[in-house]
């Protein structure tokens, strides 16, 4: 038999970011070799979709895998090796920043300067960094170097949106830390030896960080949490010494009879039998418990991770090696870590932040990466929607709890009495634990806590729980009256919208109570679930949803920040009854204000966070630094185009009245067909919605446009189903790797638009078909628009345009992920030509969009695209970028000296201008010159105009010129 040979190493080229690019023919050869059982080389390991994560409902869109063979069967190590390149030491206003690359981009240096200004001022900032310019590594380098010189800076809390983004951040973090520690040891050996090594932890959900086979294979997050809780809660573990012979519940070891917690000494443990509370792995498996949680709990306060960077793979490896639960080990490590990387929800959602992030110090620096949608995340965190079946299941939950309370009254009434005494003393921050609990008590009871309250004001933490809900049976009766009131409201035959104060007044009259009990409903229910030792908390999610709504109403019911909207059916499907009652948060600043007040510096950063002043208004804060950076290029690697007409000169648009126009639909199709002929490899096209995409594709099929597309490239479609979309994405990448080329039809605001990168040959062109406005008939959207108009000074048209353009910008940014990459960006809609739309695009895109590329027809756009691709086909000379797009240490020093001179000159000008300004006469009202355009003046203040209105403006302008 002939011996199987491994494939030869693939030909690679490295760009300035250390990215590895592979030859397509070699990729095909590697896949054929893998099918015969031969592994790929480690250098080819990169991000690809993971089929295993697909079967688990896509816990993340991207995981470490092999891009060359597109398989996880590859025997090569999963860790991508850190490339060894020359590095830099950059002086940023007195701080030495250890940068792990040989050169730095000018925008990276400017980003460091502004980031340091933010940290020095202990304020907040909004920074827009162009896509593909190394935002993550720049931010990590500056803050980690800043920690060396400012030890008072407690932690870096880095918030991401997905697990894939968290993995990318941790990868860059390893590189930055390795370079920083090495250089710092060379520059200051004594200080380096005395300083504490850095610990960085990435935290994600239990299902992603679980070694127990039952929990890790759960089909949903809720099911995984319920299984974990059933094996780790204190009552489920039930040590023999904690249970009396008569069947009653004795006080837990370390807990006094009055409910307070005392620290147990070694003598106390020896006196009670000397055995630790945690079970061995064999005993835990025999009792149906989690051996890893028992191993973690047996270590106590010694379950501390050594210095290093711990992502999912590292935590799982430590868990297997030491027998610790990776999830609880990571949660415990948050108190000691210097860098924390986790999802937005762990900080913005009060229900999660109350458990995970409650111990973070004020001196922390919080970074929200990809923060262009942060206002929507804040709104969702404080909004609740209740449907008819939710109330039905809530009534069943109440019946179950009533039965359990009655049973416990006859078997172990002391448990209810202890809870009542604790509630009389006052509600702690967790609601179900004594307020004076120490760290050991918190660790041992961490598995008992379901989640924190959706919101508990600081003045309510020390208050006693109202008397009418202290007893379990009284509280359940109160919830029953609340549910009855909501049921009556959901029987209305028509749509109803009312303010929160009006709704709360009607609720309190009906339940015959004041507003104070509403504030404590969520915490009181969690306390009861813990007292009753309910392991499957997910089964009581409907009742918890009602309690969360009551808590939000009791807290914010006096203001105008919330609205109650009842809809008996969906307007798009009026024949199907689907009643829903929504408590809509209208003010995004409610979730962000505690973050801004609590931490000294919060950084909002993204590649598409324009216009920045809109974010400051929506989130109600004043940034100390707000800046958008240009992209320094030796050659223009992106080609933004605005196509407003088809080859027949008919204007194209996704406006509602144009969607059935066959000429518009045909022009969109022919634009894609001609681009498929001119552009190699992959093309990504975004539609405004799934409904619009379905209607367009049906008409394209009738016009034989789909057939024309298939003759040129393969076509793949994103669907609402996550598994189908992931498989389509996988096959799209395979087609691009094979050289066949493909078109991926996606939807703006979908998963592909937010979390998937189409770098290199996976995306040589991106086409935005239409303007992705929200569904403007939504009552929730209308209520929010009215609130922002009245309270934030933001007009409806401005916000709608802002929201649509940030979604379009996010779609465009998917195609270019580094300066060595290149791609075409096509905005296909006549409305993009107008200044009020176009000016809301990121600055770095506008700077690369000359006027000649605005208002093109299809033929002109294809001609420009061909010329751009010919220019990009020329080899890139890196030496030509030195001193302009790439800066060495000497270049940075010269740039810093110029900045100092410029700053001193500006300060002198301000000082000299002050006495002149004091003596200046009253300003004269600005007059319009003959060359000024009236429409340009009105574009800055007017919402969207129809064609007839624009014609009136043009006629008025002409009359003014003639006069």
């Amino acid at each position: 038999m002939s011996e199987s040979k491994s494939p030869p190493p693939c030909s690679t080229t490295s760009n300035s970011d250390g990215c590895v690019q592979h030859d397509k023919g070699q990729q095909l050869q590697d896949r054929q070799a893998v099918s015969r059982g031969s592994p790929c080389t480690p250098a080819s390991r990169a991000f690809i979709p993971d089929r295993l994560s697909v079967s688990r409902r896509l816990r993340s869109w991207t995981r470490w895998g092999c891009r060359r063979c597109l398989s996880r069967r590859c025997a090569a190590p999963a860790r991508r090796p850190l490339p060894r390149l020359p590095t830099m030491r950059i002086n940023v206003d007195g701080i030495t920043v250890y940068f792990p690359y040989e050169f730095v981009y000018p925008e990276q240096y400017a980003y460091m300067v502004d980031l340091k200004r933010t940290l020095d001022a202990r304020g907040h900032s909004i920074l827009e960094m162009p896509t593909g310019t190394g935002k993550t590594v720049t931010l990590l380098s500056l803050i980690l170097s800043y920690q060396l010189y400012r030890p008072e800076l407690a932690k870096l809390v880095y918030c991401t949106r997905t697990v894939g983004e968290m993995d990318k951040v941790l990868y860059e973090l390893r590189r930055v830390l390795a370079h920083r520690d090495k250089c710092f040891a060379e520059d200051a050996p004594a200080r380096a030896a005395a300083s504490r090594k850095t610990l960085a932890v990435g935290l994600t959900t239990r299902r992603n960080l679980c070694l127990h086979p039952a929990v890790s294979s759960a089909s949903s997050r809720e099911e995984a949490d319920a299984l974990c809780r059933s094996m780790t809660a204190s009552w489920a573990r039930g040590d023999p010494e904690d249970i009396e012979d008569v069947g009653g519940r004795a006080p837990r070891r370390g807990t006094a009879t009055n409910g307070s917690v005392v620290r147990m000494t070694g003598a106390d443990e020896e006196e009670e039998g000397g055995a630790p509370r945690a079970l061995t792995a064999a005993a835990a498996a025999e009792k149906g418990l989690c051996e890893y949680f028992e191993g973690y709990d047996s270590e106590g306060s010694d379950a501390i991770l050594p210095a290093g960077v711990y992502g999912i793979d590292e935590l799982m490896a430590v868990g297997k090696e030491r027998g610790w639960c990776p999830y609880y080990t990571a949660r415990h490590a948050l108190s000691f870590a210097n860098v924390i990387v986790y999802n937005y929800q762990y900080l913005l959602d009060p229900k999660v932040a109350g458990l995970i992030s409650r111990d973070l110090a004020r001196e922390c620096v919080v970074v929200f990466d990809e923060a262009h949608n942060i206002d929507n995340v804040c709104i969702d965190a404080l909004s609740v929607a209740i449907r008819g079946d939710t109330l039905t299941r809530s009534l069943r939950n109440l019946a179950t709890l009533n039965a359990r309370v009655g049973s416990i009254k006859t078997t172990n009434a002391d448990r209810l009495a202890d809870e009542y005494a604790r509630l009389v003393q006052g509600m702690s921050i967790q609601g179900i634990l004594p307020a004076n609990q120490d760290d050991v008590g918190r660790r041992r009871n961490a598995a008992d806590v379901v989640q924190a309250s959706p919101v508990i004001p600081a003045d309510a933490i020390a208050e006693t729980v109202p008397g009418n809900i202290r007893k379990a049976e009284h509280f359940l009766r109160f919830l029953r009256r609340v549910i009855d009131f909501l049921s009556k409201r959901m029987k209305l035959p028509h749509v109803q919208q009312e303010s929160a104060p009006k709704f709360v007044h009607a609720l309190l009259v009906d339940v015959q109570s004041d507003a104070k009990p509403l504030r404590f409903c969520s915490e009181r229910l969690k306390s009861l679930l813990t007292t009753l030792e309910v392991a499957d908390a997910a089964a009581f999610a409907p009742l918890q949803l009602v309690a969360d709504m009551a808590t939000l109403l009791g807290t914010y019911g006096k203001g105008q920040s919330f609205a109650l909207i009842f809809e008996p059916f969906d307007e798009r499907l009026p024949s199907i009854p689907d009643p829903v009652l929504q408590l809509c948060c209208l003010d995004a600043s409610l979730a962000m204000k505690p973050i801004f007040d609590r931490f000294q510096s919060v950084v909002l950063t993204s590649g598409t966070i324009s216009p920045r002043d809109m974010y400051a208004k929506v989130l109600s804060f004043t940034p100390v630094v707000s800046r958008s950076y240009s992209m320094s290029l030796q050659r223009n690697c992106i080609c933004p185009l605005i196509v407003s007409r088809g080859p027949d000169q008919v204007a194209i648009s996704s406006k509602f009245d144009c969607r059935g126009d066959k000429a518009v639909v045909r022009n969109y199709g022919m634009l894609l067909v001609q681009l498929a002929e001119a552009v190699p490899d992959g093309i990504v096209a975004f539609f405004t919605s799934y409904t619009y995409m379905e209607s367009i594709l049906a008409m394209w099929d009738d016009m034989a446009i789909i057939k024309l597309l298939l003759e040129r490239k393969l076509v793949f479609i994103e669907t609402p189903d996550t598994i189908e979309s992931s498989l389509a994405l996988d096959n799209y990448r395979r087609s691009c790797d094979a050289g066949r080329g493909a078109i991926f039809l996606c939807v703006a605001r979908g998963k592909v638009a937010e979390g998937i990168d189409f770098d290199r040959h996976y995306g040589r062109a991106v086409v935005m078909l239409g303007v992705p406005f929200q569904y403007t008939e939504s009552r929730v959207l209308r209520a929010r628009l009215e609130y922002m108009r009245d309270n934030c000074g933001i007009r409806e048209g401005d916000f709608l345009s802002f929201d649509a353009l940030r979604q379009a910008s996010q779609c465009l940014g998917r195609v270019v992920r580094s300066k060595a990459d290149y791609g075409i960006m096509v905005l296909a809609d006549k409305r993009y030509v107008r200044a009020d739309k176009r000016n809301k695009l990121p600055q770095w895109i506008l700077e690369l969009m000359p006027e000649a590329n605005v208002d093109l027809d299809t033929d002109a756009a294809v001609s420009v695209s061909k010329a751009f691709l010919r220019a990009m086909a020329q080899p890139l000379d890196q030496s030509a970028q030195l001193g302009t797009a790439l800066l060495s240490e000497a270049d940075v020093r010269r740039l810093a000296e110029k900045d100092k001179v410029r700053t001193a000159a500006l300060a002198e000008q301000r000082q000299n201008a002050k006495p002149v300004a004091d003596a200046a006469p009253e300003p004269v009202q600005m007059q319009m010159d003959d060359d000024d355009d009236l429409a340009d003046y009105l574009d800055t203040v007017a919402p969207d105009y129809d064609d007839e209105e624009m014609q009136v403006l043009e006629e008025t302008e002409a009359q003014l010129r003639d006069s």
Side-chain angles (χ1 to χ4, degrees):
M1 295 179 63
S2 60
E3 185 179 18
S4 176
K5 296 183 179 180
S6 300
C10 64
S11 57
T12 62
T13 58
S14 298
N15 60 25
S16 58
D17 288 337
C19 302
V20 181
Q21 304 177 12
H22 301 269
D23 180 75
K24 294 183 184 177
Q26 187 63 45
Q27 293 169 359
L28 181 60
Q29 182 180 353
D30 288 338
R31 283 201 301 278
Q32 295 171 349
V34 169
S35 65
R36 299 191 298 267
S38 302
C40 293
T41 56
S44 65
R45 304 297 286 186
F47 282 110
I48 66 163
D50 182 2
R51 288 181 182 272
L52 181 61
S53 65
V54 171
S55 64
R56 295 177 183 175
R57 299 185 66 179
L58 289 183
R59 67 178 57 172
S60 65
W61 273 87
T62 51
R63 294 289 299 227
W64 290 110
C66 184
R67 177 175 283 148
R68 288 171 60 188
C69 62
L70 293 177
S71 170
R72 295 187 63 83
R73 297 174 297 164
C74 179
R79 174 66 54 208
R80 183 167 52 169
L82 293 173
R84 296 182 178 179
L85 296 173
T87 54
M88 300 179 67
R89 292 173 172 84
I90 304 174
N91 186 286
V92 179
D93 195 15
I95 296 293
T96 300
V97 177
Y98 300 105
F99 190 69
Y101 290 97
E102 182 180 8
F103 299 102
V104 65
Y105 299 145
E107 55 267 33
Q108 287 179 315
Y109 175 73
Y111 190 88
M112 291 181 188
V113 172
D114 289 331
L115 190 57
K116 183 181 181 297
R117 287 174 51 200
T118 303
L119 300 181
D120 290 341
R122 300 191 176 187
H124 316 305
S125 61
I126 303 176
L127 303 176
E128 183 182 62
M129 186 79 156
T131 298
T133 54
K135 173 177 77 268
T136 301
V137 68
T138 305
L139 191 147
L140 293 174
S141 298
L142 187 281
I143 295 181
L144 293 177
S145 299
Y146 194 92
Q147 284 181 329
L148 296 177
Y149 294 88
R150 301 288 189 273
E152 65 273 11
L153 189 67
K155 299 177 188 293
L156 167 61
V157 181
Y158 199 106
C159 300
T160 65
R161 298 172 304 168
T162 63
V163 176
E165 291 178 358
M166 184 183 78
D167 286 340
K168 294 178 185 179
V169 173
L170 292 174
Y171 168 77
E172 292 290 353
L173 185 60
R174 291 185 187 93
R175 182 186 183 91
V176 171
L177 279 177
H179 171 61
R180 189 203 69 169
D181 294 344
K182 174 179 176 296
C183 294
F184 188 57
E186 296 173 355
D187 297 346
R191 289 180 56 195
S195 62
R196 186 167 70 96
K197 298 299 181 181
T198 299
L199 172 63
V201 177
L203 180 65
T204 180
T205 60
R206 298 174 196 252
R207 188 176 53 162
N208 291 345
L209 286 175
C210 187
L211 292 170
H212 196 282
V215 178
S216 60
S217 60
S219 59
S220 66
R221 180 181 59 83
E222 293 77 12
E223 181 183 352
D225 292 346
L227 287 172
C228 178
R229 181 178 169 82
S230 66
M231 294 184 290
T232 58
S234 58
W235 57 83
R237 300 164 63 201
D239 295 332
E241 67 245 25
D242 290 341
I243 302 177
E244 296 177 348
D245 294 336
V246 296
R249 192 71 170 173
R252 181 166 301 282
R253 294 185 322 110
T255 306
T257 56
N258 62 355
S260 61
V261 175
V262 295
R263 187 68 175 262
M264 294 195 63
T265 63
D268 295 331
E269 293 184 353
E270 197 173 79
E271 190 175 330
E272 291 196 9
R277 293 182 67 251
L279 304 176
T280 62
E286 183 180 351
K287 290 190 174 186
L289 303 179
C290 179
E291 59 183 278
Y292 300 102
F293 184 82
E294 298 298 328
Y296 156 78
D297 189 64
S298 65
E299 294 292 331
S301 58
D302 294 331
I304 300 177
L305 295 171
V309 180
Y310 295 87
I312 294 178
D313 296 336
E314 289 76 17
L315 289 170
M316 299 289 272
V318 170
K320 291 178 181 178
E321 177 185 351
R322 304 190 181 186
W324 295 353
C325 171
Y327 175 73
Y328 283 103
T329 301
R331 279 184 56 174
H332 181 54
L334 297 184
S335 303
F336 314 100
N338 307 97
V339 181
I340 300 173
V341 184
Y342 55 27
N343 191 274
Y344 281 21
Q345 304 296 335
Y346 290 110
L347 202 59
L348 287 178
D349 190 343
K351 298 185 291 295
V352 183
L355 299 178
I356 304 298
S357 307
R358 64 174 180 268
D359 295 328
L360 295 179
R362 172 171 174 74
E363 291 75 18
C364 294
V365 175
V366 178
V367 175
F368 289 100
D369 195 7
E370 302 297 336
H372 47 273
N373 281 332
I374 193 170
D375 57 318
N376 293 331
V377 177
C378 295
I379 291 293
D380 293 340
L382 295 179
S383 297
V384 178
I386 293 180
R387 299 184 178 275
D389 64 328
T390 305
L391 297 181
T392 302
R393 289 183 291 162
S394 298
L395 292 175
R396 289 200 292 265
N397 292 156
L398 281 179
T400 302
L401 292 180
N402 274 314
R404 291 201 182 191
V405 170
S407 176
I408 290 179
K409 276 187 175 182
T410 60
T411 59
N412 191 358
D414 291 340
R415 285 160 58 187
L416 293 175
D418 290 343
E419 183 199 32
Y420 181 86
R422 187 168 66 247
L423 295 177
V424 170
Q425 294 175 1
M427 174 114 25
S428 70
I429 186 62
Q430 296 180 11
I432 61 175
L433 300 176
N436 61 342
Q437 196 165 32
D438 62 2
D439 182 64
V440 174
R442 285 184 180 180
R443 291 185 67 258
R444 287 184 173 177
N445 292 277
D448 299 351
V449 183
V450 184
Q451 60 184 13
S453 169
V455 57
I456 282 288
D459 59 346
I461 295 174
E463 291 184 15
T464 58
V465 177
N468 59 343
I469 62 172
R470 288 178 192 167
K471 288 189 175 181
E473 58 270 25
H474 295 170
F475 172 63
L476 294 178
R477 289 179 198 149
F478 180 80
L479 281 182
R480 175 58 188 261
R481 294 197 297 270
V482 173
I483 293 175
D484 290 342
F485 173 81
L486 296 178
S487 299
K488 288 187 293 185
R489 282 303 181 101
M490 296 190 70
K491 293 179 181 178
L492 295 174
H494 54 82
V495 176
Q496 184 172 354
Q497 177 178 340
E498 54 188 330
S499 63
K502 182 179 178 181
F503 186 87
V504 171
H505 175 73
L507 172 62
L508 297 179
V509 170
D510 191 85
V511 301
Q512 299 179 358
S513 175
D514 58 4
K516 187 175 181 180
L518 293 175
R519 305 170 69 189
F520 293 89
C521 277
S522 183
E523 288 289 320
R524 182 66 185 88
L525 178 59
K526 296 181 183 71
S527 175
L528 182 60
L529 292 177
T530 304
T531 302
L532 299 180
E533 299 182 349
V534 175
D536 188 9
F540 293 86
L543 187 60
Q544 186 65 64
L545 201 61
V546 174
D548 289 346
M549 174 179 278
T551 299
L552 290 169
L553 287 172
T555 304
Y556 297 112
K558 295 181 180 180
Q560 301 297 325
S561 301
F562 283 78
L564 276 297
I565 300 175
F566 170 70
E567 296 177 298
F569 51 80
D570 191 335
E571 285 190 351
R572 289 168 284 191
L573 299 171
S575 60
I576 302 177
D578 184 21
V580 56
L581 178 64
Q582 301 180 72
L583 175 61
C584 310
C585 178
L586 308 177
D587 187 1
S589 65
L590 291 179
M592 283 300 298
K593 187 177 186 303
I595 308 298
F596 289 135
D597 295 342
R598 180 180 174 187
F599 301 106
Q600 69 176 24
S601 293
V602 178
V603 179
L604 306 182
T605 184
S606 176
T608 55
I609 192 167
S610 292
R612 302 180 307 280
D613 58 339
M614 183 69 74
Y615 287 89
K617 291 181 181 179
V618 171
L619 300 178
S620 301
F621 78 108
T622 303
V624 295
V625 179
S626 177
R627 185 175 176 185
S628 179
Y629 304 92
S630 303
M631 180 182 284
S632 58
L633 297 169
Q634 190 267 335
R635 65 173 186 177
N636 293 341
C637 63
I638 63 174
C639 179
L641 307 173
I642 296 180
V643 180
S644 60
R645 304 180 307 279
D648 56 359
Q649 301 304 308
V650 174
I652 57 177
S653 177
S654 64
K655 292 176 65 174
F656 185 79
D657 55 354
C658 298
R659 294 191 173 185
D661 191 332
K662 292 185 178 181
V664 174
V665 175
R666 185 184 298 107
N667 285 338
Y668 271 138
M670 295 311 298
L671 171 64
L672 210 53
V673 168
Q674 294 187 40
L675 285 175
E677 290 181 347
V679 178
D681 299 317
I683 297 177
V684 186
F686 289 94
F687 292 84
T688 58
S689 67
Y690 286 108
T691 304
Y692 183 54
M693 180 171 66
E694 291 172 3
S695 63
I696 290 291
L697 291 181
M699 298 179 71
W700 281 356
D701 188 43
D702 295 338
M703 299 175 181
I705 292 178
I706 296 293
K707 181 180 178 181
L708 295 177
L709 290 175
L710 290 173
E711 290 175 355
R712 291 154 177 81
K713 296 180 185 292
L714 299 180
V715 178
F716 300 91
I717 302 175
E718 178 191 10
T719 66
D721 185 85
T722 307
I723 297 178
E724 290 181 357
S725 298
S726 181
L727 294 177
L729 177 63
D730 191 2
N731 290 322
Y732 170 81
R733 292 184 184 274
R734 288 175 181 270
S735 301
C736 294
D737 289 335
R740 175 68 173 84
I743 300 174
F744 200 10
L745 305 180
C746 313
V747 173
R749 306 177 192 273
K751 291 182 174 62
V752 173
E754 286 293 327
I756 305 299
D757 295 339
F758 295 93
D759 57 331
R760 301 182 292 113
H761 61 287
Y762 296 126
R764 288 307 181 199
V766 59
V767 185
M768 184 68 242
L769 301 174
V771 183
F773 284 107
Q774 295 189 54
Y775 178 58
T776 54
E777 296 301 318
S778 168
R779 290 182 173 82
V780 176
L781 176 61
R782 284 194 228 165
R784 188 182 176 194
L785 293 176
E786 292 175 4
Y787 177 85
M788 289 189 293
R789 180 194 62 199
D790 298 337
N791 296 274
C792 304
I794 301 174
R795 289 172 301 180
E796 293 91 333
D798 290 341
F799 181 81
L800 289 174
S801 298
F802 150 75
D803 181 72
L805 268 294
R806 67 173 168 181
Q807 298 300 331
S809 301
Q810 189 64 19
C811 296
L812 298 180
R814 298 296 92 197
V815 72
V816 176
R817 308 310 297 175
S818 72
K819 287 189 177 182
D821 199 3
Y822 62 89
I824 302 167
M825 301 176 176
V826 180
L827 295 166
D829 196 298
K830 65 178 184 180
R831 290 172 289 181
Y832 288 115
V833 178
R834 296 179 48 191
D836 64 318
K837 297 289 190 299
R838 190 169 73 249
N839 290 340
K840 289 183 173 63
L841 291 171
Q843 175 183 330
W844 58 274
I845 293 181
L846 292 176
E847 291 176 345
L848 297 174
M849 183 189 295
E851 287 297 326
N853 289 356
V854 177
D855 196 12
L856 302 176
D857 60 13
T858 300
D859 296 335
V862 173
S863 176
V864 172
S865 300
K866 290 180 178 179
F868 171 77
L869 292 172
R870 283 195 298 270
M872 292 299 102
Q874 306 306 315
L876 177 63
D877 184 8
Q878 183 173 347
S879 61
Q881 304 180 62
L882 298 179
T884 55
L886 295 176
L887 302 181
S888 63
E889 289 189 27
D891 296 328
V892 171
R893 285 193 293 270
R894 286 193 294 269
L895 185 61
E897 291 297 329
K898 291 181 180 179
D899 288 342
K900 288 182 181 179
V901 174
R902 188 182 303 110
T903 303
L906 290 175
E908 184 178 357
Q909 289 179 5
R910 293 193 194 100
Q911 186 175 4
N912 296 336
K914 187 175 180 181
V916 177
D918 294 339
E922 291 294 328
V924 181
Q925 186 176 1
M926 183 180 295
Q927 303 293 329
M928 187 174 68
D929 297 332
D930 292 339
D931 294 334
D932 290 334
D933 191 344
L934 178 62
D936 290 341
Y937 279 84
L938 295 179
D939 273 342
T940 61
V941 298
D944 296 341
Y945 288 102
D946 295 335
D947 292 339
E948 295 180 358
E949 294 174 329
M950 290 302 299
Q951 183 178 0
V952 172
L953 291 176
E954 292 172 357
E955 293 175 356
T956 305
E957 177 194 353
Q959 293 176 3
L960 289 174
R961 292 185 186 280
D962 294 338
S963 61

